[in-house]
Amino acid sequence: MPYLWPADRPALRWRIVVAILLILSAKATTLALPFAYKRAIDAMTGSGTGSGIGSGVIGGSSAFQVAFALVLAYSLGRFAAVGFDNIRNIVFERVGQDATRALAEDVFARLHRLSLRFHLARRTGEVTKVIERGTKSIDTMLYFMLFNIAPTIIELVAVTVIFYTHFGWGLVAATAAAVAAYIFITRWITEWRTHLRETMNRLDGQALSRAVDSLLNYETVKYFGAEDREQARYAQATGAYALAAVKSENSLGLLNIAQALIVNLLMAGAMGYTVYGWAQGKLTVGDLVFVNTYLTQLFRPLDMLGMVYRTIRQGLIDMAEMFRLMDTPVEVADKPGAPALVVRRPSVTFDDVVFGYDPDRTILHGLSFEVPAGRQIAVVGPSGAGKSTIGRLLFRFYDPWSGRILIDGQDLREVTQASLRAHLGIVPQDSVLFNDTIGYNIAYGREGAGQAEVDAAAEGAALTDLIARLPQGFATEVGERGLKLSGGEKQRVAIARTLVKNPPILLLDEATSALDTRTEQDILATLHRVSTGRTTISIAHRLSTIADADTILVLDEGKLAESGSHLELLRRDGLYADMWLRQANEADAVSEAAE
């Protein structure tokens, strides 16, 4: 209802009112047509007039004029009904499209508010298919509910009154029984078809998901020569969908046969009853066309009722899947009335933080440390120690189970997420870029960034030489996920994007671990330059990249095992010294092998 009757759009409400008036006008015209048709036939045959008209000779100009006028009125009425219907569609089209647009925007915004946990578990192909089907269904459902079901109910009531007035309760009862049987058989078979349709949707989403997943991992497929395996997996999904589709279409044929049987049995009975009344002298020839026209008009929308019911049921299924997405609980939400984060001194504090991704697996066990404003802190430790979790908690993709995370003394749970992330910048290990230009990806760091800022950021990230070599410069397309650029080039674009944002707090999440040694040294020099004057947290695997940090925090199984400068930690001969020695031995072994 909020999409059909938007509170803040009075113009759209007026369109709905006008559309409803046009519906009533069209239906009134349609209900009047059989009267004109009947009287024209009676005037031509002389039924009930006693004037002898119909014997081959026109018995006076008045009868001719009446019949001719009624035929013209009938034709004009048919045209008027079509005109009302189409003007109604023109008036309502903006309402339907606006409802579809508003729903699509709401779903898109909702998906961005959902937690990282949801997005790590989702399948992109299935989610996009759910959104596509759900948003398309609302326009169709609004159209059928307003312009088919409501007018059909009006016509049913009107036909009941007309049949009772002209023919008595017998024809009314027969029509009511036929309509009831029609609705029952339509609903029964459609419910069966609904389960088949749900299976089709699931298999369709599965096939799309496998296709998208395989294409996104194109390189991996090639690495392992798995083209035939991927083809087999996709063929299995499409084959299952084809079988489900055959069952669904066959069930549609059965439904159409059952509906046609009910309609034609009523039509035969009603017209036979009229012929019998004519033979008894109680009814006229016009009554035959009168009954036939009304039943034809009545069962035209009723004939569509099966399709309408299927469409609405399918629309409810499609929209239910989409609304389940919208109803997914927002795991991390701002408190009502939360203020914006105000940063004067960009210090970061973890105060006895306990957190895990699953209730039965704790990652951080009471972690506490402080990063003073303007200092460069490194976080190291074995795999699984919780290093990357620190970054996710800092950006508030998750909230800790207990403890606090503070920036400039302000608890992150007490401020808005938008203001928090406005003060944070990140250069991740895998810098994923939008499938757009280099200039767009750099300017993405801050909305409204001008070309001068983009140029300055590119220079600060040592991208100037690369851009100068490219024929299209900043307008060069980077490809999906930035695959047209090398690893080092993508990292430089990510650094430039962060420079445009110009945050006081910078997170370097293993920003060089996927690069070769030479590129790593170049990127490190750039990172050291952009880190100057900022509070910087470097999460690293290779210890040589963070040896010059002001303080090094060593994590082990989610706890702070050691902290200090590089030299201090080496003198302690603890976990850090052991990790340093192991990496040094590995480097020596690689050097010897190379020689």
Side-chain angles (χ1 to χ4, degrees), residues 352-586:
D352 195 25
V353 172
V354 177
F355 174 75
Y357 297 105
D358 298 307
D360 56 350
R361 183 179 174 225
T362 304
I363 303 297
L364 301 181
H365 301 265
L367 180 63
S368 296
F369 64 85
E370 183 175 359
V371 184
R375 302 294 295 275
Q376 296 186 24
I377 301 298
V379 180
V380 301
S383 297
K387 302 187 296 297
S388 295
T389 300
I390 290 174
R392 289 174 172 176
L393 290 174
L394 185 61
F395 272 86
R396 209 182 165 205
F397 292 151
Y398 304 92
D399 282 331
W401 295 349
S402 64
R404 301 182 304 165
I405 304 174
L406 311 174
I407 291 181
D408 197 6
Q410 300 160 75
D411 192 328
L412 303 191
R413 289 172 294 193
E414 304 296 328
V415 299
T416 61
Q417 297 175 64
S419 65
L420 163 66
R421 291 166 190 156
H423 290 87
L424 297 174
I426 184 171
V427 180
Q429 175 182 355
D430 183 16
S431 298
V432 178
L433 306 180
F434 289 97
N435 189 2
D436 210 300
T437 64
I438 292 178
Y440 174 85
N441 278 281
I442 295 175
Y444 196 82
R446 184 173 56 80
E447 185 177 4
Q451 187 59 44
E453 294 170 278
V454 172
D455 292 340
E459 184 176 354
L463 270 172
T464 308
D465 291 342
L466 169 66
I467 293 171
R469 292 196 306 268
L470 297 172
Q472 294 179 295
F474 284 105
T476 302
E477 297 280 344
V478 301
E480 190 167 5
R481 296 185 297 147
L483 292 178
K484 291 184 179 180
L485 302 181
S486 69
E489 290 166 349
K490 285 201 298 182
Q491 290 298 73
R492 290 190 189 279
V493 173
I495 294 170
R497 183 166 57 188
T498 301
L499 287 176
V500 168
K501 187 176 185 180
N502 194 26
I505 301 172
L506 182 60
L507 177 67
L508 307 176
D509 188 3
E510 304 206 41
T512 64
S513 63
L515 306 176
D516 61 86
T517 305
R518 180 177 177 180
T519 305
E520 178 185 60
Q521 295 305 314
D522 292 341
I523 295 294
L524 281 175
T526 305
L527 289 174
H528 289 159
R529 186 166 63 254
V530 303
S531 299
T532 305
R534 307 177 198 272
T535 301
T536 306
I537 301 175
S538 299
I539 298 171
H541 175 70
R542 286 205 282 269
L543 304 185
S544 59
T545 63
I546 48 85
D548 59 347
D550 296 325
T551 303
I552 299 173
L553 308 176
V554 184
L555 299 188
D556 187 25
E557 296 183 354
K559 299 177 182 178
L560 184 60
E562 300 171 337
S563 66
S565 67
H566 174 68
L567 293 177
E568 290 172 348
L569 292 173
L570 288 180
R571 292 193 194 102
R572 290 182 190 176
D573 198 24
L575 177 59
Y576 181 84
D578 181 62
M579 293 170 60
W580 179 266
L581 182 60
R582 288 176 182 272
Q583 291 190 12
N585 290 337
E586 290 174 3

Side-chain angles (χ1 to χ4, degrees), residues 71-128:
V71 169
L72 289 179
Y74 179 80
S75 300
L76 181 62
R78 285 176 58 88
F79 173 76
V82 173
F84 287 140
D85 283 343
N86 284 275
I87 295 172
R88 173 206 69 196
N89 292 343
I90 293 171
V91 170
F92 187 78
E93 182 62 25
R94 184 177 294 277
V95 179
Q97 291 299 328
D98 192 81
T100 302
R101 175 197 58 77
L103 179 59
E105 290 177 3
D106 284 353
V107 176
F108 184 77
R110 180 72 175 188
L111 286 173
H112 273 293
R113 289 199 299 271
L114 294 179
S115 68
L116 181 63
R117 190 190 310 276
F118 169 84
H119 286 280
L120 290 175
R122 68 180 167 84
R123 290 182 177 270
T124 305
E126 290 182 1
V127 170
T128 53

